Amino acid sequence: MNRPSASWAGRHVLVSAGPTYEDIDPVRFIGNRSSGKMGFAIAAAAARRGATVTLVAGPVHLPTPEGVRRIDVRSAAQMHAAVLAQLPATIYFGAAAVADFTPATVTADKLKKRAGQDTMTLELVRTEDILADVARHHARPTRVVGFAAETGELDGYARDKLQRKHVDLICANRVGVAGSGFEADDNTLVVHGHGIERTLGPASKAAVADALLDLVEQEFADVP
Ligand code: PMT
């Protein structure tokens, strides 16, 4: 973590972090277990290297890293709008756990259970894919880095996302186990790129973030 402080000077690093909350009614939402730690660690590491860093954060309980400009959002739609509004950027790291589906309608009043009601069906609709939209944007960052949170097989899904979302790197991490992924202080990333496969960690999320920035520096000489 002892980087020359200005080695990323002149770069705009855009990071998304944390969960999204998809409101059902005024008191309930669909969320997930992301704490924001991984994305915040990447933002902090980039700022330490002298980059201009914009962090779009879902609802998390973390202090803003030093030297980082933070934009707080709640829903996937808000995160989508906020991230695209921050382009152009040199590199985008999509570390947020964005909801894939959101309720089709948000009721103005709290949903009530009716007498005798044993089940309830919520209609969900797809959210927009922020990572894919950044990757095909006319102001596409020079490099786009996505994440893949998996409970089972890591590599196949990660490689699929690499191709399907037209990104440069996908960082696969295991979730649903202790010591990596959601909420943990440590993580292990299996990073897939075109001709690239590297494992970073297990280590603290701060150390893994620094290793990821090192990898970007080593592999992508074209980043301005
Ligand atoms: O926040 P922490 O507690 O530190 O945990 C870190 C983490 C596990 C959340 C993080 O390392 C991680 O894996 N983030 C991505 C989680 C995720 O939503 O993965 P996914 O496989 O569902 O999505 C793949 C990629 O598409 C991700 O880059 C995601 O940001 C992006 N995506 C997904 C859906 C959507 N609508 N828009 C997106 O941009």
Side-chain angles (χ1 to χ4, degrees):
M1 274 185 250
N2 297 316
R3 309 283 155 210
S5 62
S7 62
W8 283 41
R11 294 176 175 173
H12 178 207
V13 173
L14 178 57
V15 183
S16 66
T20 64
Y21 286 178
E22 309 303 319
D23 288 335
I24 298 168
D25 68 11
V27 298
R28 306 182 182 93
F29 62 85
I30 299 171
N32 63 67
R33 295 178 186 279
S34 172
S35 65
K37 288 177 188 172
M38 191 66 244
F40 275 56
I42 293 169
R48 280 196 302 273
R49 294 174 191 221
T52 299
V53 182
T54 307
L55 173 61
V56 178
V60 297
H61 303 283
L62 292 175
T64 307
E66 202 181 321
V68 168
R69 190 168 69 94
R70 171 172 174 177
I71 299 167
D72 286 320
V73 297
R74 178 174 173 85
S75 65
Q78 289 172 1
M79 187 173 279
H80 183 268
V83 166
L84 293 191
Q86 296 310 310
L87 296 175
T90 319
I91 308 177
Y92 172 63
F93 291 95
V98 187
D100 290 318
F101 291 91
T102 191
T105 53
V106 183
T107 61
D109 295 316
K110 184 182 167 194
L111 288 175
K112 297 281 185 201
K113 52 186 176 299
R114 294 185 308 274
Q117 181 183 6
D118 290 329
T119 63
M120 178 182 178
T121 304
L122 267 184
E123 190 189 355
L124 304 179
V125 294
R126 277 299 282 269
T127 56
E128 290 172 293
D129 193 315
I130 303 166
L131 184 64
D133 285 354
V134 168
R136 62 174 168 231
H137 198 275
H138 62 85
R140 185 191 198 277
T142 308
R143 295 296 169 193
V144 177
V145 181
F147 280 69
E150 307 294 348
T151 51
E153 200 255 331
L154 279 186
D155 296 343
Y157 287 119
R159 291 229 151 259
D160 172 62
K161 282 177 183 145
L162 183 72
Q163 305 297 344
R164 201 162 33 84
K165 301 200 182 198
H166 302 290
V167 299
D168 300 290
L169 293 177
I170 280 280
C171 308
N173 48 189
R174 199 166 290 291
V175 294
V177 294
S180 76
F182 291 127
E183 296 172 316
D185 290 329
D186 295 346
N187 207 3
T188 303
L189 296 180
V190 182
V191 184
H192 293 272
H194 305 282
I196 299 169
E197 186 170 339
R198 287 264 298 277
T199 300
L200 310 178
S204 69
K205 283 180 176 168
V208 169
D210 254 318
L212 178 59
L213 267 53
D214 284 345
L215 189 152
V216 167
E217 203 153 317
Q218 288 155 17
E219 295 291 342
F220 302 127
D222 60 326
V223 175

